[in-house]
Amino acid sequence: MDFLLGGVACCGACLFSNPLEVVKTRMQLQGELKAKGTYHRHYRNVFHAFYTIGKVDGLLALQKGLISALWYQLFMNGVRLGTYQTLADIGLTKDKDGKPIWHRSLIAGAVSGCCGAMVGSPFYLVKTHLQAQANTAIAVGHQHTHHGLRDAFIGIIRTEGISGMWRGVTGAMARVMVGSAVQLSTFSTSKEYVKQSKVFRDDSIMVPFTASMVGGVVVVCFMTPFDVISTRLYNQGVDANGRGMYYRGFLDCFYKIFRNEGVLAFYKGWSASWFRLAPHTVLSLVFWDQTKAFYKNFKSN
């Protein structure tokens, strides 16, 4: 049940944050492996990207890849949050008095994130492909020709085999491990401090809301560079042998981005990442906390 509640909570958040995910993906692919100033910037900032996508591709384009994103949230975050809750329930993240230990929460979050990334990788791959699809006038990155989730799965497996569904998973594992470790450890610790402060009642929704706001800020700072690498690895095209056209793997991608685009390229789409990650983190963790409370009350009755 912990796995299901975690997945459902993040699906709820995804409905609101997916347009920002589309914008973030486009901005992270813009100017791929090109030096600053040598390419046309279709998306100058997050607000201009919203306007441009809506004007050229249509408003519905802002929800591209939604079905893939929802399945990804259900599988990845279901496993991630469920695993973390399981580790917390058996006492691996707390001391003998039941208080969370930050470094243990950090490790538990990283392990949980790694498990979630492995399970959700195929859906994240397709989500990235679909969200990058755009009118030629504003297209960035490699353009895949999938017509939806099912068509993408069939096409990828037919050309690359089952293993092709996990192409780029190294970037996803690093991305989710870092993000999950920072997010969950910060949330747990912050939530305990907020409770101890007695500013809000223990059962107030403001307790998980305040704790998740802190987690959202920290996640953006640590996760964005890994997010850029993950997007690039997933979206790149493949040759006849199923090998990536641009990057051989995580370290090769890191080196090529640094060499060709500079260190600031690792924070491309920073504004979109903030606008997307902060509310998604808040909504995910608040929904997660509330669904657990609802299920606990339901079970007790």
Side-chain angles (χ1 to χ4, degrees):
M1 184 56 67
D2 286 331
F3 288 76
L4 178 61
L5 292 177
V8 170
C10 291
C11 282
C14 181
L15 291 172
F16 296 93
S17 64
N18 192 62
L20 288 160
E21 182 74 14
V22 174
V23 169
K24 182 206 68 160
T25 298
R26 301 280 185 92
M27 295 182 74
Q28 289 178 340
L29 291 170
Q30 184 168 238
E32 186 169 15
L33 299 182
K34 296 178 182 177
K36 187 177 181 179
T38 63
Y39 59 90
H40 178 69
R41 292 178 63 199
H42 297 298
Y43 314 107
R44 293 195 293 271
N45 54 57
V46 63
F47 304 108
H48 182 254
F50 262 104
Y51 171 76
T52 301
I53 294 171
K55 179 182 178 181
V56 179
D57 286 345
L59 290 176
L60 288 179
L62 290 167
Q63 283 288 15
K64 277 194 171 184
L66 177 61
I67 302 302
S68 302
L70 289 173
W71 280 111
Y72 170 71
Q73 293 297 331
L74 183 63
F75 279 90
M76 191 281 283
N77 278 309
V79 172
R80 181 176 73 97
L81 296 179
T83 301
Y84 185 83
Q85 186 63 50
T86 300
L87 295 175
D89 288 344
I90 62 178
L92 294 182
T93 63
K94 302 175 183 178
D95 60 20
K96 60 182 180 180
D97 297 320
K99 295 181 179 179
I101 301 175
W102 185 79
H103 72 273
R104 288 189 182 181
S105 297
L106 190 74
I107 296 172
V111 171
S112 302
C114 185
C115 294
M118 282 293 295
V119 174
S121 182
F123 297 101
Y124 196 90
L125 173 70
V126 174
K127 177 193 74 68
T128 304
H129 289 183
L130 295 176
Q131 290 177 339
Q133 288 179 353
N135 185 289
T136 305
I138 58 171
V140 292
H142 184 82
Q143 295 292 292
H144 298 271
T145 58
H146 312 310
H147 299 294
L149 178 62
R150 180 175 178 275
D151 180 63
F153 269 42
I154 293 173
I156 293 171
I157 293 173
R158 182 179 295 157
T159 57
E160 303 175 48
I162 292 293
S163 62
M165 299 303 303
W166 276 268
R167 177 167 54 85
V169 71
T170 52
M173 289 172 65
R175 170 185 176 273
V176 181
M177 280 180 66
V178 171
S180 182
V182 174
Q183 181 194 63
L184 294 176
S185 61
T186 305
F187 176 68
S188 299
T189 307
S190 299
K191 185 179 175 183
E192 189 64 28
Y193 280 129
V194 173
K195 281 185 176 181
Q196 291 177 359
S197 70
K198 302 299 181 183
V199 176
F200 310 109
R201 299 192 316 271
D202 285 354
D203 61 347
S204 171
I205 195 174
M206 290 304 296
V207 173
F209 182 82
T210 304
S212 55
M213 280 294 291
V214 175
V217 174
V218 179
V219 167
V220 172
C221 295
F222 283 89
M223 190 174 175
T224 300
F226 297 94
D227 199 20
V228 172
I229 293 174
S230 180
T231 298
R232 298 287 183 86
L233 287 174
Y234 273 126
N235 192 67
Q236 69 172 331
V238 295
D239 60 22
N241 296 315
R243 292 190 293 262
M245 296 171 61
Y246 305 139
Y247 317 106
R248 294 191 301 272
F250 182 88
L251 293 178
D252 185 56
C253 183
F254 177 89
Y255 171 71
K256 286 180 178 177
I257 292 175
F258 179 78
R259 183 188 64 186
N260 292 283
E261 302 173 59
V263 67
L264 291 181
F266 292 108
Y267 282 90
K268 278 188 174 181
W270 162 267
S271 56
S273 293
W274 160 246
F275 281 114
R276 181 262 173 193
L277 274 174
H280 184 84
T281 299
V282 170
L283 290 169
S284 295
L285 295 178
V286 169
F287 287 165
W288 184 41
D289 209 65
Q290 292 304 299
T291 52
K292 287 191 297 181
F294 175 79
Y295 177 69
K296 185 177 180 181
N297 290 333
F298 176 79
K299 191 176 180 180
S300 63
N301 292 330

